[in-house]
Structure formats: C-alpha cells, structure tokens
C-alpha cells in the first residue's frame, strides 16, 4: 500500500518537474544573472521540493512554493558572491602598491615556485605570508580548520624551500612576498 502512494507521488512530482523546470531555471537566471548557474539552482530547488513533496503537493500553490525556494537559493548564491567579492577587495585594499628596490628575480622565482604547489598549500602560504593573515583568518577564508592551515602552510613552505633551494629560501620568500614597509606578525 505504501508503494502505491510512493509511486503516485513519484509520478505527480515527475509531471510537476516536466511542467515547471524550465520556468524555475529562467527565474533563477533572471534573479542571479548567471545562465550557467540557473540550471543548478532549479535542480537544487526541485530536489528540495522532492524531499518535502508531501507538504508541497498539499500546498494551495505548489508553483509559488517552488518559486520561493528558487528565490531563496538565488539569494544565498548572491550573498555568497558578494561576501567573496568583499574578501577579495579587502585583500587588495590592504596590499601596498609600491615596494622600494624590489627583488624582481626573486619575485619571479617565488611566483614560479608557487605555481607548482597544489592549490590548498599555495593558498595557505600566500594568505599567511603575502597577506599576513592569521591562521584563524586564513582558516575562515578557505573554509578549513586552523590545524589544516598550519599543516598546509608548513608543508607548502617546505616545498617552496626545496624548489627555491634551501639556502636563503626563507629570506627570498620574505623579500618577494611581503612589502618592504611591513614586518612580521603572522602568529596572531
């Protein structure tokens, strides 16, 4: 008996999906301005509706409910993008534009070595040493634990030292990554 109800709900949801998917994707596109993300948001919304299908199909206006779910998902996506842009702007606003007597060869060597690191190690090293973020701020930025930041930074620095040569590598990293007017302070 439960299977008959489940089958009926499945058929009903499938019909709802076929009728409204394109409309929900179009709504997501118009709300976010991102055509590529619209299909994903519509699919995520329909998945959420399926998990609550008994409640949705009992609603007076199931399509209105579905549009509300899409709107909420789009709002969440937009807020995330705004937060990301603010973080990037904050990083760049803290960066000093001029450095006296830059070690151009050192900068080129460090940048080449950084490109060879896996993303997470590179991100930890750059955020900790170029942007002078604390371990906690780096963890928040990357969405990882403080322990992960510590281990990835340590491993990344060791790899950079290997790539740049053990002699003078920390000094070269410091000169290439930290503007001349700034000092230490990374262990906040």
């Amino acid at each position: 008996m439960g299977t008959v109800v489940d089958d009926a709900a499945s058929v009903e949801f499938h019909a709802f999906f076929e009728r409204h998917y394109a409309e929900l994707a179009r709504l997501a596109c118009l709300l976010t301005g991102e055509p590529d993300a619209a299909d994903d948001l519509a699919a995520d919304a329909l998945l959420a509706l399926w998990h609550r299908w008994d409640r949705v199909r009992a609603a007076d206006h199931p399509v209105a409910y579905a549009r509300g779910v899409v709107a909420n998902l789009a709002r969440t996506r937009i807020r995330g993008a705004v937060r990301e842009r603010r973080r990037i702007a904050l990083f760049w606003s803290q960066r000093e534009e001029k450095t006296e007597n830059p070690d151009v060869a050192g900068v080129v060597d460090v940048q080449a070595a950084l490109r060879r690191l896996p993303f997470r190690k590179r991100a930890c090293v750059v955020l900790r040493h170029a942007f002078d973020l604390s371990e906690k701020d780096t963890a928040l930025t990357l969405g990882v634990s403080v322990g992960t930041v510590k281990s990835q930074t340590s491993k990344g620095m060791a790899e950079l030292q290997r790539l740049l040569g053990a002699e003078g590598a920390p000094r070269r990293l410091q000169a290439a990554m930290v503007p001349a007017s700034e000092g230490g302070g990374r262990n906040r």
Side-chain angles (χ1 to χ4, degrees), residues 60-79:
D60 289 336
H61 303 285
V63 177
Y65 187 90
R67 289 180 190 135
V69 172
V70 169
N72 286 333
L73 289 172
R75 182 182 309 115
T76 300
R77 182 176 185 86
I78 291 167
R79 285 180 178 165

Side-chain angles (χ1 to χ4, degrees), residues 110 113-114 117-118 120-122 124-130 149-166 169-174 177 186:
V110 169
L114 281 170
L117 293 179
R120 187 175 286 177
K121 287 179 188 173
R122 180 177 41 210
C124 287
V125 168
V126 168
L127 291 172
R128 294 280 293 127
H129 293 280
V149 170
K150 289 179 180 180
S151 69
Q152 293 295 297
T153 302
S154 175
K155 291 174 183 176
M157 290 299 289
E159 182 71 10
L160 284 175
Q161 287 178 348
R162 186 188 68 73
L163 292 169
L164 295 169
R171 180 185 54 74
R172 288 171 64 193
L173 284 171
Q174 185 73 15
M177 294 177 76
R186 286 176 198 68

Side-chain angles (χ1 to χ4, degrees), residues 48-115:
L49 293 174
W50 172 245
H51 288 298
R52 296 182 205 91
W53 186 243
D54 288 340
R55 194 175 340 154
V56 174
R57 72 185 198 181
D60 289 336
H61 303 285
V63 177
Y65 187 90
R67 289 180 190 135
V69 172
V70 169
N72 286 333
L73 289 172
R75 182 182 309 115
T76 300
R77 182 176 185 86
I78 291 167
R79 285 180 178 165
V82 168
R83 279 193 303 272
E84 183 67 20
R85 282 188 213 116
R86 285 182 184 154
R87 273 189 242 139
I88 291 169
L90 175 66
F91 289 150
W92 285 108
S93 71
Q94 291 177 352
R95 184 171 177 227
E96 187 175 303
E97 293 300 319
K98 283 181 148 181
T99 302
E100 291 183 32
N101 303 321
D103 178 6
V104 176
V107 170
V108 170
D109 290 345
V110 169
Q111 288 176 344
L114 281 170
R115 282 191 297 271

Side-chain angles (χ1 to χ4, degrees), residues 13 16 29 34-35 44 65 71 74 112 116 119 132 150 160 167-168:
F13 176 78
F16 183 88
C29 181
E34 299 177 32
D44 290 347
Y65 187 90
R116 292 182 64 188
F119 175 78
D132 201 30
K150 289 179 180 180
L160 284 175
E167 292 182 28

